[in-house]
């Protein structure tokens, strides 16, 4: 009976995937060297960092659509340390372009483009990341990376952290989530948070999952805000399944 009650409570928590259940803190990660991951963006409201993101062109940053609930107003590029921001050169106001089919994270299409108020100044601190090809296949157990400024085991980090996570077979991933009575949306990638002590948690939604130098996923959600891994796998929006929409917005430079 207690087990049934525990499962029911988990189901209720997942059904109410609120702000505290989404996102990512980097668990068991390490500091990112200043000359790597130059595409990382801090998505911010008027008080500071709320989500991660990544630069894909001079005009656009990708993040998670559910980050819109925190009302982002700007992105910061060109620094791994959020205590070292030059607002004149590093901060960009944004226009939000949510995926037209997005309703909530658990329904899928958890991706949003942020149009920058001016072109990003590309230099030795700011560079876009490559996107995957439509036909790109990622092997199970492939080692990929996820990065962000969210919470760690000891609290929120102002310095960018990165952790290596393995790709998890999608069928296995769906089975694990089915066991807690949650049906995963289509077009997702699973990596980390399961059969490993590494993954993401609250604070860095919208950050990239990077495999072979390409941003293949967008941090979407995990189970509750439990980051004591192993757990059910972490969930990312599959960028390759959204390429047509991304390319259309980039071509129009608007949404």
């Amino acid at each position: 009976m207690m087990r049934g009650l525990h499962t029911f409570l988990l189901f209720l928590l997942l059904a109410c995937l609120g702000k505290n259940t989404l996102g990512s803190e980097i668990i068991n990660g390490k500091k990112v060297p200043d000359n790597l991951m130059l595409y990382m963006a801090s998505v911010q409201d008027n008080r500071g960092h709320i989500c991660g993101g990544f630069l894909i062109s001079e005009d656009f940053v990708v993040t998670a659509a559910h980050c819109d609930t925190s009302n982002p107003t700007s992105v910061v590029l060109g620094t791994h340390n959020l205590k070292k921001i030059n607002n004149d050169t590093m901060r960009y106001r944004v226009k939000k372009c949510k995926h037209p089919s997005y309703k909530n994270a658990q329904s899928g299409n958890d991706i949003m483009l942020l149009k920058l108020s001016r072109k990003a100044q590309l230099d030795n601190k700011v560079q876009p990341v490559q996107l995957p090809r439509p036909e790109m296949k990622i092997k199970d157990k492939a080692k990929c990376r996820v990065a962000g400024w969210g919470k760690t085991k000891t609290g929120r980090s102002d310095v960018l952290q990165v952790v290596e996570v393995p790709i998890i077979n999608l069928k296995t991933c769906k089975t694990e989530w089915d066991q807690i009575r949650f049906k995963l949306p289509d077009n997702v990638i699973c990596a980390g948070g399961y059969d490993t002590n590494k993954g993401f948690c609250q604070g860095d939604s919208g950050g990239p999952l990077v495999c072979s130098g390409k941003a293949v996923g967008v941090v979407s959600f995990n189970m509750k805000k439990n980051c004591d891994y192993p757990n059910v796998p972490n969930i990312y929006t599959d960028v390759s399944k959204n390429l047509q929409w991304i390319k259309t917005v980039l071509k129009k430079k608007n949404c």
Side-chain angles (χ1 to χ4, degrees):
M1 181 176 177
M2 287 301 295
R3 178 170 182 157
L5 178 61
H6 180 65
T7 301
F8 178 67
L9 289 172
L10 279 177
F11 174 72
L12 284 180
L13 285 165
L14 285 163
C16 301
L17 271 172
K19 181 179 178 183
N20 288 335
T21 67
L22 298 164
S24 75
E25 58 195 33
I26 299 302
I27 302 300
N28 294 325
K30 59 185 179 181
K31 179 182 174 183
V32 178
D34 289 340
N35 62 337
L36 296 179
M37 305 190 88
L38 304 181
Y39 43 79
M40 287 299 299
S42 170
V43 180
Q44 303 200 354
D45 63 10
N46 293 328
R47 293 175 296 177
H49 177 84
I50 55 173
C51 278
F54 50 100
L55 186 71
I56 60 169
S57 75
E58 292 179 315
D59 299 292
F60 285 93
V61 161
V62 175
T63 189
H66 77 255
C67 292
D68 187 41
T69 59
S70 298
N71 193 29
T73 55
S74 66
V75 300
V76 171
L77 300 170
T79 183
H80 286 356
N81 188 335
L82 298 185
K83 288 186 175 179
K84 297 179 180 179
I85 297 175
N86 182 325
N87 284 323
D88 293 333
T89 60
M90 296 178 176
R91 188 176 299 279
Y92 300 76
R93 306 294 289 184
V94 294
K95 176 182 179 181
K96 296 174 288 188
C97 305
K98 273 192 292 190
H99 191 285
S101 299
Y102 173 77
K103 294 179 181 176
N104 50 53
Q106 58 266 49
S107 299
N109 300 305
D110 188 12
I111 185 169
M112 176 167 64
L113 290 172
L114 300 174
K115 186 179 188 301
L116 306 182
S117 54
R118 65 185 191 281
K119 286 185 182 296
Q121 192 66 43
L122 304 184
D123 52 27
N124 61 354
K125 291 186 177 180
V126 178
Q127 288 292 326
V129 65
Q130 287 187 319
L131 296 180
R133 300 181 305 277
E135 68 277 9
M136 183 176 178
K137 295 288 186 287
I138 310 169
K139 292 182 179 180
D140 296 345
K141 299 183 180 179
K143 299 297 185 185
C144 301
R145 295 179 298 166
V146 59
W149 289 275
K151 294 178 184 175
T152 63
K153 289 287 189 182
T154 57
R156 185 175 295 278
S157 175
D158 288 313
V159 178
L160 186 63
Q161 303 285 310
V162 65
V163 70
E164 190 177 82
V165 291
I167 295 293
I168 297 165
N169 175 274
L170 190 56
K171 185 177 179 181
T172 300
C173 183
K174 288 183 175 181
T175 299
E176 290 297 317
W177 279 87
D178 282 344
Q179 289 180 4
I180 55 172
R181 300 184 184 181
F182 185 88
K183 181 173 171 35
L184 287 178
D186 294 328
N187 302 332
V188 296
I189 295 173
C190 305
Y194 165 80
D195 203 24
T196 176
N197 65 350
K198 298 176 180 179
F200 67 67
C201 201
Q202 284 63 43
D204 290 313
S205 296
L209 177 67
V210 180
C211 304
S212 301
K214 294 178 173 60
V216 302
V218 183
V219 173
S220 188
F221 62 89
N222 66 353
M223 190 187 81
K224 309 188 299 177
K225 49 184 177 181
N226 179 7
C227 304
D228 292 326
Y229 300 128
N231 207 317
V232 292
N234 291 172
I235 305 303
Y236 299 79
T237 303
D238 189 338
V239 172
S240 71
K241 301 296 193 298
N242 291 278
L243 283 176
Q244 193 55 55
W245 171 70
I246 291 172
K247 289 177 180 178
T248 298
V249 175
L250 263 60
K251 186 176 181 179
K252 292 195 304 184
K253 295 187 183 295
N254 208 341
C255 54

